[in-house]
Amino acid sequence: VGRAQVGVPRVPRGPAPVTSLLSLAVTSEQIEHLHRRFKQLSQDQLTIRKENFDSIPDLEFNPIRGKIVHAFFDKRNLRQESEGLADEINFEDFLTIMSYFRPIEMNMDEEQLDRFRKEKLKFLFHMYDSDHDGKITLQEYRNVVEELLSGNPHLEKESARSIADGAMMEAASICVGQMGPDQVYEGITFEDFLKMWQGIDIETKMHVRFLNVDTIAHCY
């Protein structure tokens, strides 16, 4: 299959031109596959709303289901505004979100790889930063850990909190270093987040298996 520039997708029924995606090419086959999945989710409507995600079986039992769905409507991820949620997303918005999950292209240079990695991590950072203030606070971190561990019947809420508190202390030591007795670590900034993920292969770990998009990536 030939490659189509992202700005001019060739998909059925002429959805809006895709101008907000990253500047890398994707195949027309990939775009058409995503368009079919979009139509499935939207039930042939022009937009998707949060309730449309209720029809995804693999997502139903995901402990952070709410945060995943939330991320699709987060205006920061849609590259629209710095805060707030969209009520619905169109196909162009859907492609914008899916662009965060693209695999590495073999011809990427070092600068492109660095930008690619930062964009993926920014998407993940937004899932933690629920109040859109640019920091992941201890309470926000606790909320995510509690949700992730909610399916474990042998783990009490206090144990989950202890895990989150320990992780936050580790984040402070990585990002700030030795702290004074009266010093308070207010939260993880995006710069801190980048430090914490240094050396971890985020490029191949962000997938979307629940959308069944096997031509783009697979997610766990």
Side-chain angles (χ1 to χ4, degrees):
V1 180
R3 301 184 75 80
Q5 289 300 316
V6 174
V8 193
R10 292 173 185 163
V11 291
R13 300 191 185 175
V18 181
T19 57
S20 56
L21 281 179
L22 308 182
S23 59
L24 298 170
V26 295
T27 66
S28 55
E29 181 186 7
Q30 288 169 340
I31 294 179
E32 286 167 7
H33 182 89
L34 285 168
H35 189 244
R36 287 195 300 272
R37 193 65 178 110
F38 177 87
K39 286 170 63 182
Q40 263 186 329
L41 285 173
S42 68
Q43 298 175 352
D44 277 336
Q45 299 302 305
L46 293 176
T47 59
I48 289 175
R49 303 181 70 86
K50 292 186 187 72
E51 52 266 28
N52 292 119
F53 284 83
D54 293 339
S55 64
I56 304 174
D58 286 347
L59 193 55
E60 183 181 353
F61 302 106
N62 192 304
I64 57 168
R65 175 192 181 282
K67 291 198 179 302
I68 292 171
V69 174
H70 188 96
F72 272 76
F73 297 85
D74 190 326
K75 289 182 178 179
R76 295 172 296 180
N77 297 334
L78 294 169
R79 305 185 180 101
Q80 294 176 355
E81 296 174 30
S82 59
E83 60 182 55
L85 292 176
D87 293 325
E88 54 189 24
I89 58 173
N90 60 24
F91 182 59
E92 182 178 348
D93 297 329
F94 184 70
L95 280 180
T96 298
I97 297 297
M98 295 309 299
S99 73
Y100 292 100
F101 299 94
R102 288 193 331 280
I104 293 173
E105 296 281 338
M106 296 303 293
N107 61 349
M108 283 183 179
D109 59 31
E110 198 169 320
E111 184 182 339
Q112 287 174 320
L113 278 171
D114 183 60
R115 187 172 72 247
F116 187 72
R117 176 180 174 81
K118 284 180 179 176
E119 283 163 346
K120 283 179 177 285
L121 286 172
K122 181 73 86 171
F123 184 90
L124 191 59
F125 181 83
H126 291 160
M127 290 182 70
Y128 285 82
D129 178 25
S130 56
D131 64 1
H132 298 225
D133 71 347
K135 279 197 204 81
I136 301 168
T137 63
L138 175 57
Q139 189 55 54
E140 285 173 328
Y141 205 91
R142 280 175 173 172
N143 291 342
V144 174
V145 172
E146 285 172 12
E147 286 177 19
L148 281 169
L149 300 176
S150 61
N152 188 336
H154 306 295
L155 196 66
E156 296 179 356
K157 192 171 184 178
E158 284 307 311
S159 299
R161 287 196 164 203
S162 296
I163 292 170
D165 292 359
M168 185 61 86
M169 286 178 63
E170 185 179 350
S173 68
I174 292 171
C175 303
V176 180
Q178 188 64 39
M179 294 176 63
D182 300 324
Q183 192 175 357
V184 176
Y185 184 55
E186 295 182 357
I188 301 167
T189 63
F190 183 60
E191 288 70 28
D192 292 346
F193 201 66
L194 288 175
K195 289 179 189 173
M196 291 167 61
W197 278 84
Q198 210 163 28
I200 300 174
D201 180 16
I202 186 65
E203 292 87 343
T204 57
K205 290 183 185 299
M206 275 183 67
H207 305 292
V208 281
R209 190 170 68 182
F210 66 85
L211 282 176
N212 229 2
V213 186
D214 41 27
T215 56
I216 297 285
H218 290 286
C219 193
Y220 306 93

